[in-house]
Amino acid sequence: MKRLLNNLSVKLGLTLVLAIFALLIIIIAFLGYRAGEEGSSSLGEVDRAADQMRLVNRSQLSIANAQLFYVDSYVAAYEGDASLARDYLDQAQTLQQNAQGYFSEFEAIASQTALVETLSTTFHGLMQQGLIPLQTALVAGDGAQFRAAKEVASDLNQQFIEASVAYNDYMADQNKLMVVDYESDMQLIGYIDIAVLLFAALMVIFVR
């Protein structure tokens, strides 16, 4: 009878150990799945933020180059080279369209925040009150209007640059925080895995 009870005790202990092992495997699998999901989400957010910053920077660069070509067109027209003036004007208009395209892509994927709203306001203000008047003045051959529009465009472009820098700095900080959070989560899960394995080992020793 005593031997039977001992056998039952051993079997019960083994069953308990196997049940604990199964539970630990489920826990580790769940933690791994959760870490993978959070990691994938964090990396996706980092990629999306990088795309947004890249579009803003491309738009800013296109605007800067467009302004330069508008000025070059004005100078060429002033010097009497109508053909070169037209070429510069065409390049400026293309760059202006590129800037609009880049920024439209940005607005399509960016979350609506105060910084995004400020950035959008400064961009559209620059386009409507700065670059378009430059283009109109050149097409009309109005030097006085061009010089006035150039001053306005320079001021508005500076506002757009400041808004872009503020937005890019914020997004860069957010990316760093997401990476740090992801690394912290992975480290915590690693500690949990080790603790679970140690607990399993102690249970085996205890049952024995």
Side-chain angles (χ1 to χ4, degrees), residues 7-21 207-208:
N7 289 337
L8 289 174
S9 177
V10 171
K11 289 180 180 180
L12 182 60
L14 290 174
T15 302
L16 180 62
V17 170
L18 290 174
I20 292 174
F21 270 132
V207 170
R208 288 183 177 180

Side-chain angles (χ1 to χ4, degrees), residues 79-129:
E79 293 176 349
D81 194 335
S83 177
L84 185 59
R86 283 194 300 271
D87 289 342
Y88 283 143
L89 179 59
D90 289 342
Q91 293 182 64
Q93 290 172 330
T94 299
L95 287 164
Q96 182 176 325
Q97 291 173 357
N98 291 343
Q100 182 64 65
Y102 290 137
F103 202 81
S104 294
E105 286 186 57
F106 163 76
E107 289 181 312
I109 63 174
S111 301
Q112 290 302 313
T113 63
L115 283 174
V116 172
E117 184 177 350
T118 299
L119 190 58
S120 294
T121 299
T122 56
F123 173 81
H124 292 298
L126 172 58
M127 295 294 284
Q128 295 298 323
Q129 302 171 36

Side-chain angles (χ1 to χ4, degrees), residues 58-77:
R58 286 178 176 175
S59 180
Q60 184 179 329
L61 180 60
S62 295
I63 286 175
N65 288 330
Q67 286 181 291
L68 290 176
F69 278 113
Y70 279 136
V71 172
D72 288 340
S73 178
Y74 172 78
V75 172

Side-chain angles (χ1 to χ4, degrees), residues 110-190:
S111 301
Q112 290 302 313
T113 63
L115 283 174
V116 172
E117 184 177 350
T118 299
L119 190 58
S120 294
T121 299
T122 56
F123 173 81
H124 292 298
L126 172 58
M127 295 294 284
Q128 295 298 323
Q129 302 171 36
L131 294 188
I132 291 178
L134 281 178
Q135 175 185 350
T136 302
L138 284 174
V139 172
D142 190 333
Q145 182 183 351
F146 177 85
R147 289 189 294 273
K150 180 175 176 293
E151 293 298 323
V152 174
S154 296
D155 292 340
L156 293 174
N157 188 47
Q158 183 60 38
Q159 294 177 23
F160 178 62
I161 290 173
E162 292 173 358
S164 299
V165 170
Y167 176 78
N168 286 337
D169 287 345
Y170 171 79
M171 294 303 291
D173 290 340
Q174 290 298 109
N175 283 351
K176 290 178 182 178
L177 289 176
M178 282 189 286
V179 171
V180 170
D181 287 343
Y182 172 71
E183 291 176 347
S184 297
D185 289 341
M186 293 301 295
Q187 188 177 39
L188 177 60
I189 290 172

